[in-house]
Each structure stands twice: as structure tokens, then as C-alpha cells.
Amino acid sequence: MENKKVFKFVKASAILLAGLLFAGAASAQTKVAVVNIQAAIMSTEKATSKINALKTSSEYSQLQNGAESIRAEMQKLAEDAQKNGVTWSEEKKAEQQRKINFKRSDFETTVKKLRAMEGQAVQELQKELLPKAKTALEEVIKEQKLDLVLDASAAVYAGKSANLTEELVKRLNAGK
């Protein structure tokens, strides 16, 4: 009988101790936040200015105008083939399709050049601003005494107060 009383006492003590530990852990809340560093960098005044400068540059504008021109030519060739194709010989149809394919290839090449220019500008921005963003983020983490900061893309939900991206943009714009 005495063993049963000791076992019940130990069991009750363990349950009480577990409850106290859980209550203590619950009261010491973990402070968690999210951030999208890439979005913060691309939302800065510097990034906006650099992207606008790229898109208004003569080389970029020429490529963009060239892409639009090629697209219009492809559309005209396709419309002509659709409208008049029934009366064309097989050779004429094949020639028209070859012209469309050449134009499509030219269009794709031009678009690749545009994307490459944009990608290069983004890489330059990342290279320049990423160290500053990391430093600014470390300051925010210390100031807000955060325990955990996740990439925003990993979060299912984060309230506005838990998202550090806007604060990071402000600090990068201010040059902190």
C-alpha cells in the first residue's frame, strides 16, 4: 500500500511540475518576425531610381521598341497567313511559316537581352545594398529584442506589426 501512495505522490508532483514549466514557458513568449530582404532592397528609392534610369536608357528603349516592332511584324505575318493561306501554294505557306519562325526567334533574343539588362541591374543593386540591409536588419532585431526572424516567403501568415520589410526599406532609404 505504501508504494501506491508514493507512486501517486510522485505522479502528482510530476504533473504539477510539468504544468508549472509549461506556464513559465508560455509567459516568456518568443518574439518572431518576418522580412523579405529582396523586396526591401527593390523597394528602396535607390532601386527605383536605378530601374527607372535603365528603362529610360537609349539602349533599353531601342531594344524594347525593337521587340514591339518584331511582335507587330509577327502578328501581321500571322494575320496574312490566316487570311490568304487557303489560296497559297505549299511553298508559299512554308516560306511564310519560316518568316514567322525567324521573327519569333528575333523577338525571343531581344526579350532575353532586355531581361539580361534588368537582371544585371538587380544584381548590382543586391551587391551594393545587401550588406547594408543585413546591418539594418541586425539593428532592428536588437532594438525589438526579437528571438526569431524568418524569410517572409516561409510564413503562412504574418501581421503587419510582425513584418519588418517596411522598416528595412525606411532604414535603407535613410542610409542607416
mmCIF file of all heavy atoms in Angstrom, residues 72-118:
data_model
loop_
_atom_site.group_PDB
_atom_site.id
_atom_site.type_symbol
_atom_site.label_atom_id
_atom_site.label_comp_id
_atom_site.label_asym_id
_atom_site.label_seq_id
_atom_site.Cartn_x
_atom_site.Cartn_y
_atom_site.Cartn_z
ATOM 1 N N ALA A 72 4.806 43.151 -83.759
ATOM 2 C CA ALA A 72 3.815 43.650 -84.727
ATOM 3 C C ALA A 72 4.000 42.976 -86.085
ATOM 4 O O ALA A 72 3.012 42.604 -86.746
ATOM 5 C CB ALA A 72 3.924 45.163 -84.854
ATOM 6 N N GLU A 73 5.264 42.799 -86.505
ATOM 7 C CA GLU A 73 5.533 42.126 -87.784
ATOM 8 C C GLU A 73 5.071 40.671 -87.747
ATOM 9 O O GLU A 73 4.496 40.173 -88.727
ATOM 10 C CB GLU A 73 7.031 42.192 -88.105
ATOM 11 C CG GLU A 73 7.525 43.580 -88.464
ATOM 12 C CD GLU A 73 9.039 43.652 -88.614
ATOM 13 O OE1 GLU A 73 9.660 42.598 -88.908
ATOM 14 O OE2 GLU A 73 9.601 44.734 -88.426
ATOM 15 N N MET A 74 5.320 39.992 -86.623
ATOM 16 C CA MET A 74 4.871 38.605 -86.486
ATOM 17 C C MET A 74 3.357 38.515 -86.572
ATOM 18 O O MET A 74 2.814 37.623 -87.240
ATOM 19 C CB MET A 74 5.319 38.024 -85.125
ATOM 20 C CG MET A 74 6.716 37.528 -85.096
ATOM 21 S SD MET A 74 7.285 36.833 -83.503
ATOM 22 C CE MET A 74 5.840 36.537 -82.561
ATOM 23 N N GLN A 75 2.698 39.429 -85.912
ATOM 24 C CA GLN A 75 1.240 39.433 -85.920
ATOM 25 C C GLN A 75 0.711 39.679 -87.336
ATOM 26 O O GLN A 75 -0.223 39.015 -87.777
ATOM 27 C CB GLN A 75 0.698 40.491 -84.955
ATOM 28 C CG GLN A 75 -0.790 40.442 -84.782
ATOM 29 C CD GLN A 75 -1.274 41.385 -83.695
ATOM 30 O OE1 GLN A 75 -0.488 42.051 -83.016
ATOM 31 N NE2 GLN A 75 -2.574 41.440 -83.530
ATOM 32 N N LYS A 76 1.350 40.602 -88.040
ATOM 33 C CA LYS A 76 0.926 40.906 -89.412
ATOM 34 C C LYS A 76 1.131 39.680 -90.315
ATOM 35 O O LYS A 76 0.261 39.351 -91.130
ATOM 36 C CB LYS A 76 1.708 42.104 -89.948
ATOM 37 C CG LYS A 76 1.280 42.557 -91.316
ATOM 38 C CD LYS A 76 2.053 43.783 -91.756
ATOM 39 C CE LYS A 76 1.644 44.176 -93.166
ATOM 40 N NZ LYS A 76 2.443 45.262 -93.702
ATOM 41 N N LEU A 77 2.272 39.016 -90.171
ATOM 42 C CA LEU A 77 2.539 37.814 -90.960
ATOM 43 C C LEU A 77 1.517 36.709 -90.646
ATOM 44 O O LEU A 77 1.031 36.037 -91.561
ATOM 45 C CB LEU A 77 3.962 37.299 -90.704
ATOM 46 C CG LEU A 77 5.110 38.115 -91.292
ATOM 47 C CD1 LEU A 77 6.451 37.627 -90.745
ATOM 48 C CD2 LEU A 77 5.097 38.048 -92.814
ATOM 49 N N ALA A 78 1.202 36.538 -89.363
ATOM 50 C CA ALA A 78 0.235 35.509 -88.964
ATOM 51 C C ALA A 78 -1.156 35.830 -89.494
ATOM 52 O O ALA A 78 -1.869 34.939 -89.970
ATOM 53 C CB ALA A 78 0.219 35.367 -87.448
ATOM 54 N N GLU A 79 -1.547 37.105 -89.415
ATOM 55 C CA GLU A 79 -2.860 37.512 -89.922
ATOM 56 C C GLU A 79 -2.931 37.314 -91.441
ATOM 57 O O GLU A 79 -3.947 36.862 -91.967
ATOM 58 C CB GLU A 79 -3.148 38.965 -89.560
ATOM 59 C CG GLU A 79 -3.448 39.176 -88.099
ATOM 60 C CD GLU A 79 -3.514 40.649 -87.703
ATOM 61 O OE1 GLU A 79 -3.279 41.530 -88.567
ATOM 62 O OE2 GLU A 79 -3.779 40.915 -86.509
ATOM 63 N N ASP A 80 -1.846 37.653 -92.135
ATOM 64 C CA ASP A 80 -1.798 37.480 -93.583
ATOM 65 C C ASP A 80 -1.926 35.996 -93.945
ATOM 66 O O ASP A 80 -2.661 35.631 -94.869
ATOM 67 C CB ASP A 80 -0.487 38.057 -94.128
ATOM 68 C CG ASP A 80 -0.443 38.097 -95.645
ATOM 69 O OD1 ASP A 80 -1.511 38.256 -96.276
ATOM 70 O OD2 ASP A 80 0.673 37.980 -96.203
ATOM 71 N N ALA A 81 -1.238 35.137 -93.179
ATOM 72 C CA ALA A 81 -1.308 33.694 -93.436
ATOM 73 C C ALA A 81 -2.709 33.157 -93.181
ATOM 74 O O ALA A 81 -3.207 32.316 -93.945
ATOM 75 C CB ALA A 81 -0.291 32.961 -92.568
ATOM 76 N N GLN A 82 -3.331 33.656 -92.132
ATOM 77 C CA GLN A 82 -4.676 33.186 -91.808
ATOM 78 C C GLN A 82 -5.676 33.647 -92.871
ATOM 79 O O GLN A 82 -6.556 32.899 -93.275
ATOM 80 C CB GLN A 82 -5.095 33.701 -90.430
ATOM 81 C CG GLN A 82 -6.406 33.127 -89.944
ATOM 82 C CD GLN A 82 -6.729 33.584 -88.531
ATOM 83 O OE1 GLN A 82 -6.171 34.571 -88.043
ATOM 84 N NE2 GLN A 82 -7.634 32.882 -87.885
ATOM 85 N N LYS A 83 -5.516 34.885 -93.313
ATOM 86 C CA LYS A 83 -6.457 35.469 -94.277
ATOM 87 C C LYS A 83 -6.287 34.881 -95.684
ATOM 88 O O LYS A 83 -7.264 34.541 -96.348
ATOM 89 C CB LYS A 83 -6.252 36.984 -94.314
ATOM 90 C CG LYS A 83 -7.192 37.732 -95.220
ATOM 91 C CD LYS A 83 -6.908 39.231 -95.132
ATOM 92 C CE LYS A 83 -7.775 40.009 -96.096
ATOM 93 N NZ LYS A 83 -7.437 41.434 -96.081
ATOM 94 N N ASN A 84 -5.037 34.761 -96.121
ATOM 95 C CA ASN A 84 -4.771 34.379 -97.506
ATOM 96 C C ASN A 84 -4.211 32.972 -97.665
ATOM 97 O O ASN A 84 -3.966 32.526 -98.787
ATOM 98 C CB ASN A 84 -3.792 35.376 -98.144
ATOM 99 C CG ASN A 84 -4.334 36.782 -98.120
ATOM 100 O OD1 ASN A 84 -5.511 37.003 -98.406
ATOM 101 N ND2 ASN A 84 -3.487 37.728 -97.756
ATOM 102 N N GLY A 85 -3.966 32.280 -96.571
ATOM 103 C CA GLY A 85 -3.301 30.981 -96.618
ATOM 104 C C GLY A 85 -3.999 29.927 -97.447
ATOM 105 O O GLY A 85 -3.337 29.054 -98.022
ATOM 106 N N VAL A 86 -5.310 29.991 -97.515
ATOM 107 C CA VAL A 86 -6.036 28.964 -98.285
ATOM 108 C C VAL A 86 -5.734 29.026 -99.779
ATOM 109 O O VAL A 86 -5.845 28.027 -100.477
ATOM 110 C CB VAL A 86 -7.564 29.059 -98.044
ATOM 111 C CG1 VAL A 86 -7.917 28.589 -96.654
ATOM 112 C CG2 VAL A 86 -8.086 30.443 -98.312
ATOM 113 N N THR A 87 -5.340 30.179 -100.262
ATOM 114 C CA THR A 87 -5.052 30.324 -101.702
ATOM 115 C C THR A 87 -3.578 30.127 -102.027
ATOM 116 O O THR A 87 -3.212 30.095 -103.195
ATOM 117 C CB THR A 87 -5.484 31.721 -102.192
ATOM 118 O OG1 THR A 87 -4.725 32.715 -101.506
ATOM 119 C CG2 THR A 87 -6.977 31.930 -101.984
ATOM 120 N N TRP A 88 -2.714 30.005 -101.001
ATOM 121 C CA TRP A 88 -1.272 29.890 -101.226
ATOM 122 C C TRP A 88 -0.878 28.453 -101.559
ATOM 123 O O TRP A 88 -1.481 27.483 -101.096
ATOM 124 C CB TRP A 88 -0.496 30.320 -99.985
ATOM 125 C CG TRP A 88 -0.545 31.792 -99.673
ATOM 126 C CD1 TRP A 88 -0.964 32.785 -100.486
ATOM 127 C CD2 TRP A 88 -0.155 32.403 -98.457
ATOM 128 N NE1 TRP A 88 -0.844 33.997 -99.855
ATOM 129 C CE2 TRP A 88 -0.354 33.789 -98.597
ATOM 130 C CE3 TRP A 88 0.343 31.934 -97.264
ATOM 131 C CZ2 TRP A 88 -0.073 34.701 -97.600
ATOM 132 C CZ3 TRP A 88 0.634 32.835 -96.252
ATOM 133 C CH2 TRP A 88 0.428 34.208 -96.432
ATOM 134 N N SER A 89 0.224 28.385 -102.277
ATOM 135 C CA SER A 89 0.825 27.075 -102.545
ATOM 136 C C SER A 89 1.522 26.591 -101.268
ATOM 137 O O SER A 89 1.751 27.364 -100.330
ATOM 138 C CB SER A 89 1.851 27.195 -103.674
ATOM 139 O OG SER A 89 2.949 27.974 -103.256
ATOM 140 N N GLU A 90 1.885 25.328 -101.264
ATOM 141 C CA GLU A 90 2.583 24.761 -100.094
ATOM 142 C C GLU A 90 3.916 25.472 -99.867
ATOM 143 O O GLU A 90 4.319 25.699 -98.731
ATOM 144 C CB GLU A 90 2.796 23.252 -100.267
ATOM 145 C CG GLU A 90 1.523 22.436 -100.179
ATOM 146 C CD GLU A 90 0.783 22.631 -98.862
ATOM 147 O OE1 GLU A 90 1.424 22.615 -97.791
ATOM 148 O OE2 GLU A 90 -0.456 22.810 -98.902
ATOM 149 N N GLU A 91 4.600 25.850 -100.960
ATOM 150 C CA GLU A 91 5.876 26.556 -100.826
ATOM 151 C C GLU A 91 5.687 27.925 -100.187
ATOM 152 O O GLU A 91 6.474 28.338 -99.336
ATOM 153 C CB GLU A 91 6.565 26.712 -102.196
ATOM 154 C CG GLU A 91 7.061 25.424 -102.787
ATOM 155 C CD GLU A 91 6.354 25.096 -104.089
ATOM 156 O OE1 GLU A 91 5.744 25.995 -104.714
ATOM 157 O OE2 GLU A 91 6.411 23.923 -104.475
ATOM 158 N N LYS A 92 4.639 28.627 -100.605
ATOM 159 C CA LYS A 92 4.346 29.958 -100.042
ATOM 160 C C LYS A 92 4.001 29.835 -98.554
ATOM 161 O O LYS A 92 4.449 30.653 -97.739
ATOM 162 C CB LYS A 92 3.194 30.607 -100.830
ATOM 163 C CG LYS A 92 2.704 31.923 -100.278
ATOM 164 C CD LYS A 92 3.693 33.035 -100.494
ATOM 165 C CE LYS A 92 3.082 34.360 -100.037
ATOM 166 N NZ LYS A 92 4.024 35.430 -99.978
ATOM 167 N N LYS A 93 3.222 28.812 -98.190
ATOM 168 C CA LYS A 93 2.874 28.591 -96.782
ATOM 169 C C LYS A 93 4.133 28.306 -95.958
ATOM 170 O O LYS A 93 4.307 28.846 -94.861
ATOM 171 C CB LYS A 93 1.892 27.425 -96.643
ATOM 172 C CG LYS A 93 0.502 27.731 -97.112
ATOM 173 C CD LYS A 93 -0.385 26.494 -96.967
ATOM 174 C CE LYS A 93 -1.758 26.733 -97.546
ATOM 175 N NZ LYS A 93 -2.607 25.531 -97.489
ATOM 176 N N ALA A 94 4.997 27.464 -96.507
ATOM 177 C CA ALA A 94 6.243 27.120 -95.804
ATOM 178 C C ALA A 94 7.136 28.344 -95.649
ATOM 179 O O ALA A 94 7.747 28.550 -94.591
ATOM 180 C CB ALA A 94 6.975 26.010 -96.557
ATOM 181 N N GLU A 95 7.212 29.146 -96.692
ATOM 182 C CA GLU A 95 8.015 30.373 -96.621
ATOM 183 C C GLU A 95 7.459 31.333 -95.567
ATOM 184 O O GLU A 95 8.210 31.925 -94.788
ATOM 185 C CB GLU A 95 8.039 31.055 -97.996
ATOM 186 C CG GLU A 95 8.879 32.310 -98.024
ATOM 187 C CD GLU A 95 8.844 33.028 -99.373
ATOM 188 O OE1 GLU A 95 8.576 32.354 -100.394
ATOM 189 O OE2 GLU A 95 9.075 34.243 -99.378
ATOM 190 N N GLN A 96 6.150 31.485 -95.530
ATOM 191 C CA GLN A 96 5.510 32.373 -94.557
ATOM 192 C C GLN A 96 5.769 31.867 -93.133
ATOM 193 O O GLN A 96 6.077 32.650 -92.249
ATOM 194 C CB GLN A 96 3.995 32.453 -94.841
ATOM 195 C CG GLN A 96 3.281 33.511 -94.054
ATOM 196 C CD GLN A 96 3.526 34.916 -94.597
ATOM 197 O OE1 GLN A 96 4.338 35.151 -95.481
ATOM 198 N NE2 GLN A 96 2.809 35.856 -94.052
ATOM 199 N N GLN A 97 5.669 30.560 -92.940
ATOM 200 C CA GLN A 97 5.925 29.984 -91.616
ATOM 201 C C GLN A 97 7.385 30.187 -91.219
ATOM 202 O O GLN A 97 7.678 30.488 -90.058
ATOM 203 C CB GLN A 97 5.575 28.490 -91.603
ATOM 204 C CG GLN A 97 5.630 27.861 -90.223
ATOM 205 C CD GLN A 97 4.702 28.526 -89.236
ATOM 206 O OE1 GLN A 97 3.529 28.732 -89.508
ATOM 207 N NE2 GLN A 97 5.211 28.887 -88.075
ATOM 208 N N ARG A 98 8.301 30.050 -92.165
ATOM 209 C CA ARG A 98 9.721 30.272 -91.891
ATOM 210 C C ARG A 98 9.961 31.725 -91.473
ATOM 211 O O ARG A 98 10.694 31.999 -90.525
ATOM 212 C CB ARG A 98 10.563 29.900 -93.122
ATOM 213 C CG ARG A 98 12.038 29.856 -92.861
ATOM 214 C CD ARG A 98 12.867 29.304 -94.025
ATOM 215 N NE ARG A 98 12.607 29.965 -95.301
ATOM 216 C CZ ARG A 98 11.932 29.421 -96.321
ATOM 217 N NH1 ARG A 98 11.438 28.214 -96.225
ATOM 218 N NH2 ARG A 98 11.751 30.089 -97.458
ATOM 219 N N LYS A 99 9.304 32.679 -92.154
ATOM 220 C CA LYS A 99 9.428 34.099 -91.782
ATOM 221 C C LYS A 99 8.918 34.324 -90.358
ATOM 222 O O LYS A 99 9.550 35.037 -89.578
ATOM 223 C CB LYS A 99 8.639 34.974 -92.757
ATOM 224 C CG LYS A 99 9.265 35.134 -94.118
ATOM 225 C CD LYS A 99 8.378 36.007 -95.009
ATOM 226 C CE LYS A 99 8.919 36.152 -96.406
ATOM 227 N NZ LYS A 99 8.023 36.953 -97.267
ATOM 228 N N ILE A 100 7.784 33.713 -90.042
ATOM 229 C CA ILE A 100 7.215 33.855 -88.684
ATOM 230 C C ILE A 100 8.184 33.274 -87.655
ATOM 231 O O ILE A 100 8.424 33.895 -86.607
ATOM 232 C CB ILE A 100 5.827 33.182 -88.600
ATOM 233 C CG1 ILE A 100 4.805 33.962 -89.435
ATOM 234 C CG2 ILE A 100 5.359 33.073 -87.144
ATOM 235 C CD1 ILE A 100 3.457 33.274 -89.596
ATOM 236 N N ASN A 101 8.756 32.113 -87.958
ATOM 237 C CA ASN A 101 9.707 31.487 -87.031
ATOM 238 C C ASN A 101 10.949 32.348 -86.830
ATOM 239 O O ASN A 101 11.458 32.458 -85.708
ATOM 240 C CB ASN A 101 10.093 30.092 -87.524
ATOM 241 C CG ASN A 101 8.958 29.107 -87.413
ATOM 242 O OD1 ASN A 101 7.983 29.321 -86.680
ATOM 243 N ND2 ASN A 101 9.066 28.005 -88.153
ATOM 244 N N PHE A 102 11.453 32.951 -87.919
ATOM 245 C CA PHE A 102 12.613 33.846 -87.790
ATOM 246 C C PHE A 102 12.270 35.057 -86.918
ATOM 247 O O PHE A 102 13.063 35.464 -86.073
ATOM 248 C CB PHE A 102 13.113 34.305 -89.160
ATOM 249 C CG PHE A 102 13.852 33.254 -89.941
ATOM 250 C CD1 PHE A 102 13.892 33.330 -91.333
ATOM 251 C CD2 PHE A 102 14.528 32.214 -89.324
ATOM 252 C CE1 PHE A 102 14.576 32.379 -92.077
ATOM 253 C CE2 PHE A 102 15.213 31.257 -90.056
ATOM 254 C CZ PHE A 102 15.232 31.335 -91.438
ATOM 255 N N LYS A 103 11.091 35.612 -87.135
ATOM 256 C CA LYS A 103 10.666 36.775 -86.342
ATOM 257 C C LYS A 103 10.518 36.376 -84.869
ATOM 258 O O LYS A 103 10.915 37.130 -83.977
ATOM 259 C CB LYS A 103 9.351 37.356 -86.865
ATOM 260 C CG LYS A 103 9.453 38.022 -88.213
ATOM 261 C CD LYS A 103 10.295 39.269 -88.140
ATOM 262 C CE LYS A 103 10.438 39.921 -89.506
ATOM 263 N NZ LYS A 103 11.376 41.033 -89.491
ATOM 264 N N ARG A 104 9.956 35.192 -84.622
ATOM 265 C CA ARG A 104 9.790 34.727 -83.237
ATOM 266 C C ARG A 104 11.151 34.583 -82.567
ATOM 267 O O ARG A 104 11.335 34.982 -81.414
ATOM 268 C CB ARG A 104 9.040 33.393 -83.207
ATOM 269 C CG ARG A 104 8.796 32.875 -81.795
ATOM 270 C CD ARG A 104 7.999 31.578 -81.738
ATOM 271 N NE ARG A 104 6.662 31.799 -82.268
ATOM 272 C CZ ARG A 104 6.162 31.179 -83.329
ATOM 273 N NH1 ARG A 104 6.886 30.296 -83.977
ATOM 274 N NH2 ARG A 104 4.942 31.422 -83.741
ATOM 275 N N SER A 105 12.111 34.035 -83.303
ATOM 276 C CA SER A 105 13.464 33.882 -82.773
ATOM 277 C C SER A 105 14.094 35.243 -82.465
ATOM 278 O O SER A 105 14.716 35.425 -81.419
ATOM 279 C CB SER A 105 14.317 33.115 -83.775
ATOM 280 O OG SER A 105 15.624 32.985 -83.304
ATOM 281 N N ASP A 106 13.918 36.203 -83.393
ATOM 282 C CA ASP A 106 14.429 37.561 -83.174
ATOM 283 C C ASP A 106 13.777 38.182 -81.937
ATOM 284 O O ASP A 106 14.446 38.822 -81.120
ATOM 285 C CB ASP A 106 14.156 38.453 -84.389
ATOM 286 C CG ASP A 106 14.990 38.079 -85.609
ATOM 287 O OD1 ASP A 106 15.972 37.328 -85.449
ATOM 288 O OD2 ASP A 106 14.647 38.548 -86.712
ATOM 289 N N PHE A 107 12.463 37.981 -81.806
ATOM 290 C CA PHE A 107 11.729 38.523 -80.662
ATOM 291 C C PHE A 107 12.256 37.931 -79.349
ATOM 292 O O PHE A 107 12.531 38.659 -78.390
ATOM 293 C CB PHE A 107 10.228 38.248 -80.810
ATOM 294 C CG PHE A 107 9.401 38.724 -79.664
ATOM 295 C CD1 PHE A 107 9.097 40.070 -79.518
ATOM 296 C CD2 PHE A 107 8.931 37.841 -78.700
ATOM 297 C CE1 PHE A 107 8.339 40.525 -78.449
ATOM 298 C CE2 PHE A 107 8.179 38.280 -77.642
ATOM 299 C CZ PHE A 107 7.877 39.622 -77.513
ATOM 300 N N GLU A 108 12.410 36.616 -79.317
ATOM 301 C CA GLU A 108 12.904 35.954 -78.106
ATOM 302 C C GLU A 108 14.304 36.423 -77.739
ATOM 303 O O GLU A 108 14.608 36.637 -76.566
ATOM 304 C CB GLU A 108 12.856 34.438 -78.278
ATOM 305 C CG GLU A 108 11.441 33.887 -78.301
ATOM 306 C CD GLU A 108 11.367 32.418 -78.704
ATOM 307 O OE1 GLU A 108 12.422 31.793 -79.001
ATOM 308 O OE2 GLU A 108 10.234 31.892 -78.719
ATOM 309 N N THR A 109 15.153 36.602 -78.726
ATOM 310 C CA THR A 109 16.518 37.084 -78.484
ATOM 311 C C THR A 109 16.489 38.499 -77.906
ATOM 312 O O THR A 109 17.214 38.803 -76.951
ATOM 313 C CB THR A 109 17.346 37.060 -79.791
ATOM 314 O OG1 THR A 109 17.387 35.721 -80.271
ATOM 315 C CG2 THR A 109 18.747 37.582 -79.568
ATOM 316 N N THR A 110 15.653 39.341 -78.462
ATOM 317 C CA THR A 110 15.548 40.718 -77.977
ATOM 318 C C THR A 110 15.029 40.747 -76.542
ATOM 319 O O THR A 110 15.551 41.487 -75.700
ATOM 320 C CB THR A 110 14.633 41.549 -78.905
ATOM 321 O OG1 THR A 110 15.148 41.469 -80.242
ATOM 322 C CG2 THR A 110 14.571 42.997 -78.473
ATOM 323 N N VAL A 111 14.023 39.934 -76.261
ATOM 324 C CA VAL A 111 13.472 39.875 -74.898
ATOM 325 C C VAL A 111 14.525 39.356 -73.921
ATOM 326 O O VAL A 111 14.641 39.869 -72.801
ATOM 327 C CB VAL A 111 12.184 39.018 -74.866
ATOM 328 C CG1 VAL A 111 11.756 38.722 -73.439
ATOM 329 C CG2 VAL A 111 11.061 39.731 -75.622
ATOM 330 N N LYS A 112 15.320 38.374 -74.339
ATOM 331 C CA LYS A 112 16.399 37.865 -73.482
ATOM 332 C C LYS A 112 17.401 38.969 -73.155
ATOM 333 O O LYS A 112 17.901 39.060 -72.034
ATOM 334 C CB LYS A 112 17.108 36.684 -74.143
ATOM 335 C CG LYS A 112 16.356 35.395 -74.064
ATOM 336 C CD LYS A 112 17.128 34.271 -74.727
ATOM 337 C CE LYS A 112 16.315 32.987 -74.752
ATOM 338 N NZ LYS A 112 17.018 31.895 -75.440
ATOM 339 N N LYS A 113 17.712 39.800 -74.149
ATOM 340 C CA LYS A 113 18.634 40.917 -73.911
ATOM 341 C C LYS A 113 18.051 41.892 -72.897
ATOM 342 O O LYS A 113 18.761 42.367 -72.005
ATOM 343 C CB LYS A 113 18.952 41.639 -75.219
ATOM 344 C CG LYS A 113 19.830 40.852 -76.158
ATOM 345 C CD LYS A 113 20.051 41.601 -77.471
ATOM 346 C CE LYS A 113 20.862 40.803 -78.469
ATOM 347 N NZ LYS A 113 21.026 41.520 -79.748
ATOM 348 N N LEU A 114 16.752 42.186 -73.030
ATOM 349 C CA LEU A 114 16.095 43.086 -72.079
ATOM 350 C C LEU A 114 16.147 42.503 -70.668
ATOM 351 O O LEU A 114 16.474 43.209 -69.703
ATOM 352 C CB LEU A 114 14.638 43.335 -72.486
ATOM 353 C CG LEU A 114 14.423 44.225 -73.701
ATOM 354 C CD1 LEU A 114 12.981 44.110 -74.196
ATOM 355 C CD2 LEU A 114 14.756 45.674 -73.371
ATOM 356 N N ARG A 115 15.808 41.219 -70.537
ATOM 357 C CA ARG A 115 15.812 40.562 -69.217
ATOM 358 C C ARG A 115 17.227 40.516 -68.640
ATOM 359 O O ARG A 115 17.414 40.642 -67.437
ATOM 360 C CB ARG A 115 15.232 39.151 -69.307
ATOM 361 C CG ARG A 115 13.792 39.084 -69.751
ATOM 362 C CD ARG A 115 12.830 39.821 -68.804
ATOM 363 N NE ARG A 115 11.562 40.015 -69.463
ATOM 364 C CZ ARG A 115 11.082 41.185 -69.873
ATOM 365 N NH1 ARG A 115 11.785 42.291 -69.702
ATOM 366 N NH2 ARG A 115 9.914 41.288 -70.454
ATOM 367 N N ALA A 116 18.212 40.329 -69.509
ATOM 368 C CA ALA A 116 19.607 40.311 -69.043
ATOM 369 C C ALA A 116 20.012 41.675 -68.488
ATOM 370 O O ALA A 116 20.685 41.754 -67.452
ATOM 371 C CB ALA A 116 20.546 39.895 -70.169
ATOM 372 N N MET A 117 19.592 42.732 -69.158
ATOM 373 C CA MET A 117 19.895 44.082 -68.667
ATOM 374 C C MET A 117 19.229 44.311 -67.321
ATOM 375 O O MET A 117 19.849 44.864 -66.398
ATOM 376 C CB MET A 117 19.432 45.133 -69.682
ATOM 377 C CG MET A 117 20.243 45.170 -70.959
ATOM 378 S SD MET A 117 19.587 46.339 -72.175
ATOM 379 C CE MET A 117 20.094 47.892 -71.437
ATOM 380 N N GLU A 118 17.973 43.893 -67.206
ATOM 381 C CA GLU A 118 17.257 44.043 -65.934
ATOM 382 C C GLU A 118 17.927 43.212 -64.845
ATOM 383 O O GLU A 118 18.120 43.685 -63.717
ATOM 384 C CB GLU A 118 15.798 43.615 -66.099
ATOM 385 C CG GLU A 118 14.996 44.529 -66.996
ATOM 386 C CD GLU A 118 13.657 43.944 -67.411
ATOM 387 O OE1 GLU A 118 13.338 42.791 -67.033
ATOM 388 O OE2 GLU A 118 12.918 44.638 -68.132
#
